[in-house]
């Protein structure tokens, strides 16, 4: 397995720190502790691309160049970062003009980029490199009885389907099933969560969030599992605002890595379980009591 | 009431040339109006022009309608339209280009928070190399209406009590390098016609 440099991205050091904590714990428990990319910078997300294309690509490519110096691929948990890095890699290979401009800019600060670095999502690494079987063998606390709706969000399968099916992604389903939990049918798997519209245009954003939560409830899920910090923010932090506008029972939102961590026997505290605004503790305790 | 009719005089041939010269966007000419972009768009119900209509208005050169539309600011870049389009029109990338041009030509509602967010985001990344989320949100609220802060108090407290609120200003080490690199990459040629 090619060396992986961990690229947490900005939100994992802020509102999404439970994702960071649980990922580190899961990879450590599987014997593959994460090493952070030295001096990484923001990928630029969708905002920078809305203003200046050249600078947006330069910004993202600095991370690719830093990883290349370490002869590593980038382990990229955030969907937005993942897409930006993948899009940059492709665009620099396809566009001679942009490739030239960006290489010139990297060269100005003593960096180089030959184009061999890939962004890799934890779902891909866990299913392909580490493998579901190895995860299964490491499970200490099977999560029997827990019903989970798997939510992948947009940008992990669109516009590129790099490691999973574009319409019916399965990698998170496989990992969650390996914990002994039940994965419910969830047709909104890749439907948009509203991204930053929850903040900028709440009447629009909150409605999109409502539909995702309501569907998970209707499918009988106890928790909704996510793989992106922005999705988590919308579904968890904005849930109280959604419930003020719509008739909806609360549903806790967990990162898939928090669920894997629980099954691997990592203490809840180390997984940031108590960082959920909508507490997951009652659901998890009920399940444990039921299973005992 | 003035009927909502466009005529030849409302068209900008330059705009039509510009939009169809964006990477991959020459395929707009092949659009057969199947409407899959609109049907698959999760934001469609809130838009003034559907994605299909916007692409059509663009290729015909109706600059003011396209750049002034609410649609481009509603797009969350979920790429559903891009994936569905049977003609492989890169709809999402065209939306990005339209946002860039609208910001550059300053044709959007002044208090619409979305372009303000984009600008504040860029400023913070350019200065420090990373985003500090709490600061970004506060700046956005200050610029788009302090009254909105009151609606955010509960949410802010939720973040504080779960240990997700941080006032630390995240910064990379090689800020000078970053600035030099962004300078060296130069300006985009696409917006100038």
């Amino acid at each position: 397995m090619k060396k992986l440099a961990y690229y947490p991205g900005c939100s994992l050091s802020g509102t999404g720190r439970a994702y960071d904590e649980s990922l580190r714990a899961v990879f450590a428990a599987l014997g593959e502790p994460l090493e952070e990319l030295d001096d990484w910078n923001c990928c630029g997300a969708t905002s920078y691309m809305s203003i200046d294309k050249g600078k947006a690509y330069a910004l993202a490519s600095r991370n690719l160049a830093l990883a290349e110096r370490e002869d590593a691929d980038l382990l990229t948990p955030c969907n937005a970062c993942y897409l930006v890095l993948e899009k940059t890699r492709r665009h620099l290979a396809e566009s001679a003009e942009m490739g030239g401009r960006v290489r010139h800019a990297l060269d100005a600060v003593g960096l180089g980029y030959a184009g061999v670095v890939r962004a890799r999502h934890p779902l891909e690494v866990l299913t392909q490199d580490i493998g579901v079987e190895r995860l299964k063998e490491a499970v200490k606390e099977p999560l029997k009885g827990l019903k989970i709706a798997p939510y992948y969000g947009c940008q992990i399968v669109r516009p590129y389907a790099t490691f999973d099916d574009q319409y019916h992604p399965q990698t998170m389903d496989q990992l969650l099933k390996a914990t002994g939990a039940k994965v419910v049918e969830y047709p909104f798997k890749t439907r948009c969560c509203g991204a930053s519209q929850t903040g900028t245009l709440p009447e629009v954003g909150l409605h999109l969030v409502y539909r995702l939560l309501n569907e998970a409830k209707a499918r009988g899920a106890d928790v909704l599992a996510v793989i992106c910090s922005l999705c988590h923010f919308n579904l968890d932090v904005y849930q109280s605002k959604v419930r003020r506008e719509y008739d909806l029972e609360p549903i806790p939102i967990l990162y898939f890595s928090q669920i894997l961590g629980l099954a691997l026997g990592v203490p809840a505290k180390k997984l940031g379980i108590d960082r959920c605004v909508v507490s997951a503790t009652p659901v998890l305790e009920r399940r444990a009591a039921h299973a005992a | 009431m003035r009927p909502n009719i466009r005529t030849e005089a409302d068209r900008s041939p330059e705009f039509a040339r510009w939009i169809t010269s964006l990477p991959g966007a020459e395929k707009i000419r092949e659009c057969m109006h199947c409407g899959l972009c609109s049907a698959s768009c999760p934001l469609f119900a809130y838009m003034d022009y559907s994605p299909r209509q916007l692409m059509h208005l663009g290729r015909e050169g109706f600059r003011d309608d396209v750049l002034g539309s609410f649609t481009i600011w509603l797009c969350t870049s979920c790429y559903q339209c891009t994936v569905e389009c049977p003609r492989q029109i890169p709809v999402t990338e065209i939306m990005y280009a339209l946002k860039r041009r609208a910001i550059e030509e300053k044709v959007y509602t002044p208090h619409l928070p979305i372009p303000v967010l984009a600008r504040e985001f860029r400023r913070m990344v350019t200065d420090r190399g990373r985003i500090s989320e709490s600061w970004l949100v506060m700046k956005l609220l200050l610029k788009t209406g302090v009254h909105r802060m009151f609606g955010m108090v509960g949410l802010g407290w939720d973040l504080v009590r779960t240990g997700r609120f941080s006032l630390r200003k995240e910064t990379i080490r090689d800020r000078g390098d970053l600035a030099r690199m962004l300078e060296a990459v130069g300006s985009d040629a696409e917006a100038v016609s």
Side-chain angles (χ1 to χ4, degrees):
Chain A
M1 168 167 142
K2 188 175 169 187
K3 188 181 153 192
L4 287 173
Y6 176 45
Y7 177 78
C10 302
S11 61
L12 270 75
S13 5
T15 56
R17 38 197 305 194
Y19 197 8
D20 176 75
E21 291 161 341
S22 55
L23 271 178
R24 288 180 192 272
V26 164
F27 276 86
L30 292 168
E32 309 275 356
L34 298 180
E35 278 179 53
E36 196 167 320
L37 178 70
D38 181 45
D39 208 38
W40 58 267
N41 60 266
C42 169
C43 72
T46 54
S47 291
Y48 218 109
M49 194 49 88
S50 306
I51 298 186
D52 191 315
K53 200 160 103 174
K55 289 187 173 43
Y57 280 125
L59 200 61
S61 71
R62 179 173 177 271
N63 298 303
L64 297 174
L66 291 175
E68 201 165 275
R69 202 164 61 180
E70 294 183 20
D71 201 15
D73 279 334
L74 286 168
L75 184 75
T76 313
C78 165
N79 282 13
C81 300
Y82 179 84
L83 173 59
V84 168
L85 295 176
E86 174 65 11
K87 185 166 134 180
T88 302
R89 181 184 74 83
R90 288 176 187 239
H91 194 67
L92 296 188
E94 284 159 11
S95 162
E97 189 258 345
M98 189 59 80
R101 280 175 66 192
V102 166
R103 281 192 179 85
H104 167 73
L106 289 170
D107 188 53
V109 293
L111 287 170
Y113 174 64
V116 293
V117 175
R118 283 185 52 215
R120 304 197 67 208
H121 194 274
L123 287 182
E124 180 189 9
V125 172
L126 286 165
T127 50
Q128 291 181 7
D129 301 31
I130 291 177
V132 177
E133 284 311 309
R134 206 167 126 197
L135 175 71
K136 238 184 222 169
E137 282 162 23
V139 167
K140 293 199 178 99
E141 311 261 351
L143 300 177
K144 216 168 165 305
L146 188 67
K147 284 180 281 184
I148 309 173
Y151 177 60
Y152 294 73
C154 326
Q155 298 193 334
I156 203 67
V157 286
R158 286 194 304 268
Y160 319 116
T162 44
F163 64 89
D164 210 335
D165 186 273
Q166 190 143 53
Y167 291 92
H168 304 288
Q170 291 299 324
T171 47
M172 176 166 39
D173 294 46
Q174 291 163 11
L175 295 171
L176 295 174
K177 280 179 195 159
T179 69
K182 183 177 160 48
V183 176
V184 304
E185 269 299 313
Y186 188 58
F188 286 172
K189 264 180 177 180
T190 67
R191 193 81 177 164
C192 174
C193 73
S196 53
Q197 305 291 30
T198 38
T200 47
L201 294 165
E203 65 280 15
V204 174
L206 295 182
H207 186 230
L208 294 182
V209 173
Y210 162 71
R211 289 177 53 190
L212 295 178
L213 296 172
N214 188 49
E215 185 67 24
K217 273 281 169 196
R219 300 277 166 171
D222 301 317
V223 298
L224 208 145
V226 297
I227 62 169
C228 166
S229 39
L230 183 54
C231 299
H232 189 276
F233 195 93
N234 280 341
L235 298 172
D236 178 47
V237 182
Y238 277 106
Q239 197 174 128
S240 56
K241 276 187 188 280
V242 170
R243 291 181 55 223
R244 232 169 284 150
E245 310 244 341
Y246 303 94
D247 180 27
L248 181 82
E249 290 296 307
I251 177 166
I253 316 297
L254 289 172
Y255 291 105
F256 83 100
S257 45
Q258 292 179 297
I259 297 171
L260 299 190
L262 288 171
L264 293 171
V266 180
K269 187 86 194 159
K270 282 199 163 168
L271 297 167
I273 302 285
D274 54 1
R275 294 195 193 282
C276 293
V277 169
V278 181
S279 176
T281 312
V283 166
L284 295 173
E285 280 175 355
R286 213 179 310 137
R287 187 215 65 83
H290 211 74
Chain B
M1 202 177 86
R2 187 172 166 269
N4 190 16
I5 296 171
R6 302 286 178 277
T7 65
E8 192 62 28
D10 299 314
R11 294 173 64 173
S12 153
E14 176 278 319
F15 188 77
R17 272 197 304 275
W18 171 80
I19 199 168
T20 48
S21 71
L22 295 167
E26 70 284 352
K27 298 208 183 86
I28 302 184
R29 297 201 194 95
E30 293 167 31
C31 171
M32 56 186 170
H33 298 279
C34 70
L36 271 175
C37 51
S38 306
S40 63
C41 177
L43 279 311
F44 167 59
Y46 312 96
M47 291 173 166
D48 45 4
Y49 293 116
S50 72
R52 180 193 66 79
Q53 286 174 317
L54 200 75
M55 293 302 112
H56 196 189
L57 285 164
R59 84 173 178 192
E60 300 305 329
F62 291 99
R63 175 194 170 276
D64 297 353
D65 292 279
V66 172
L67 292 185
S69 74
F70 193 37
T71 298
I72 59 180
W73 303 112
L74 275 169
C75 172
T76 58
S77 323
C78 86
Y79 288 92
Q80 194 87 53
C81 49
T82 301
V83 165
E84 297 298 334
C85 179
R87 295 294 203 219
Q88 281 90 45
I89 298 169
V91 184
T92 311
E93 296 304 327
I94 295 171
M95 292 286 185
Y96 270 125
L98 293 171
K99 287 179 211 182
R100 286 194 290 267
R101 183 152 171 172
I103 287 178
E104 183 151 310
E105 299 189 8
K106 297 194 170 50
V107 277
Y108 50 82
T109 333
H111 291 288
L112 192 63
I114 301 158
V116 181
L117 172 69
R119 278 204 315 259
E120 290 303 319
F121 189 102
R122 175 180 61 171
R123 187 169 301 151
M124 192 178 280
V125 174
T126 309
D127 288 351
R128 296 183 168 268
R130 287 187 193 171
I131 289 295
S132 310
E133 296 168 301
S134 310
W135 288 105
L136 182 66
V137 170
M138 284 189 282
K139 281 200 171 142
L140 179 67
L141 291 173
L142 280 175
K143 299 239 161 151
T144 58
V146 182
H147 63 282
R148 297 181 54 216
M149 264 194 191
F150 296 106
M152 305 297 273
V153 171
L155 194 147
W157 169 242
D158 280 339
L159 291 175
V160 171
R161 81 180 162 80
T162 53
R164 292 158 73 178
F165 185 86
S166 163
L167 286 178
R168 203 172 68 188
K169 291 194 169 165
E170 303 288 341
T171 308
I172 63 165
R173 192 180 55 233
D174 295 336
R175 280 163 80 173
D177 273 8
L178 186 76
R180 269 195 301 284
M181 188 191 76
L182 291 177
E183 179 66 35
V185 80
S187 311
D188 290 345
E190 77 173 13
V192 279
S193 44

